[in-house]
Amino acid sequence: MAVQDPYEVLGVSRDADQDEIQRAYRKLARAHHPDINKDPGAEEKFKDVSEAYAILSDPEQRRRYDVFGPDFRQVPEDVDPDTWARSRAGAAAGAGRAGPYATTGGVYTGGFGEDIDVEELFGGIFGGRRRGGRWSAWSPSRGADQEAEIEVSVEEAYRGTRRTITLERPEGPRNLDVTVPAGVTDGQRIRLAGQGGGGDTAGDLYLMVRIAPHHRYRVQGRDVYTDLPLAPWEAALGTTVGLQTPGGEAKVKVPPGTSSGRRLRLRGRGLPNPRGAPGDLFAEVRIVVPPEPSEMERRLLEELASASPFDPRRS
């Protein structure tokens, strides 16, 4: 199942670095998030943006996309990229003329005289079978790839989890245990080889991961955002407070003079990344006043109001 070009979806060049990719994702995710954008097509656009970021933020997935193109998930892990590129180039050349890598009954004839057997190279990825050492025009039917969604919480995305899903089959329902790896991102796919539609060779099943809305956390890629409630005096004087994160409690140092809306960054406390740097956690300050101040609190606040020249509407 081919995917959209992630570079086009995010609007970045093919040599964009991770910072540029992350900035593009955050901008688009914020613009199309269904909780913010009520346009009917926003949710689908948000899914496309999340899928593109899942590919380009993962170095291994990005490398495979760059090498194998939109169908990179269909290419077995052990296929050599250089051999793949030579065979594809040879197929294009052999379609119109004989020459380097021209096809002769399914066997690619290399430019140096060697014969490269397609099935031996790619383990039957093209679906054909050899007859007498040559490539047969007949190929078995392959079942269709299928796709389903699986929803996990932010905590499950952080530490990984296991789920049992039920597959509806012509012969009856079948339960399948699925491992969701730690650090999975919204829009990422989990491939279950051979669990798709039936045929002579079964297709694959792709589980699209969706991270469920959370009362405390908001997730963008591997970064996690949460509110940090502070009393006015904590924000004014500075303090160190405990903050709950998906990986457990962390200590946050609040600088003196912190205002509402300021984001305090905790590096590496976002979702883990099996192949690279983890995401960050951003604590957004929200100043909360006592809803029913005591007599002493009211008196002290009145004294502060009288003594302080500070005017928040002028600063």
Side-chain angles (χ1 to χ4, degrees), residues 61-79:
Q61 286 205 65
R62 181 178 182 180
R63 183 191 69 80
R64 286 180 56 79
Y65 179 85
D66 289 343
V67 172
F68 301 119
D71 294 308
F72 72 100
R73 291 192 177 100
Q74 315 301 323
V75 181
E77 296 289 340
D78 57 352
V79 171

Side-chain angles (χ1 to χ4, degrees), residues 15-79:
D15 58 355
D17 60 25
Q18 284 300 313
D19 286 342
E20 185 178 350
I21 289 170
Q22 190 174 70
R23 286 196 301 270
Y25 167 75
R26 287 176 177 172
K27 179 180 178 181
L28 292 171
R30 191 179 301 114
H32 299 288
H33 197 286
D35 292 344
I36 299 174
N37 191 335
K38 302 305 180 183
D39 187 277
E43 183 173 2
E44 194 61 34
K45 180 64 176 177
F46 179 77
K47 291 180 180 179
D48 293 340
V49 169
S50 297
E51 166 72 358
Y53 183 68
I55 294 172
L56 297 187
S57 64
D58 186 319
E60 178 62 18
Q61 286 205 65
R62 181 178 182 180
R63 183 191 69 80
R64 286 180 56 79
Y65 179 85
D66 289 343
V67 172
F68 301 119
D71 294 308
F72 72 100
R73 291 192 177 100
Q74 315 301 323
V75 181
E77 296 289 340
D78 57 352
V79 171

Side-chain angles (χ1 to χ4, degrees), residues 112 123 126 145 150 161-162 205 209 214 219 242 247 261 266:
F112 297 98
F126 297 112
D145 289 341
I150 183 171
T161 188
R162 289 184 64 82
L205 174 64
V209 175
H214 198 282
V219 180
L266 281 70

Side-chain angles (χ1 to χ4, degrees), residues 94-128:
R97 59 181 176 80
Y101 300 104
T103 58
T104 57
V107 175
Y108 289 101
T109 303
F112 297 98
E114 75 274 20
D115 286 344
I116 305 174
D117 190 290
V118 177
E119 188 172 63
E120 289 179 358
L121 282 175
F122 299 108
I125 186 176
F126 297 112

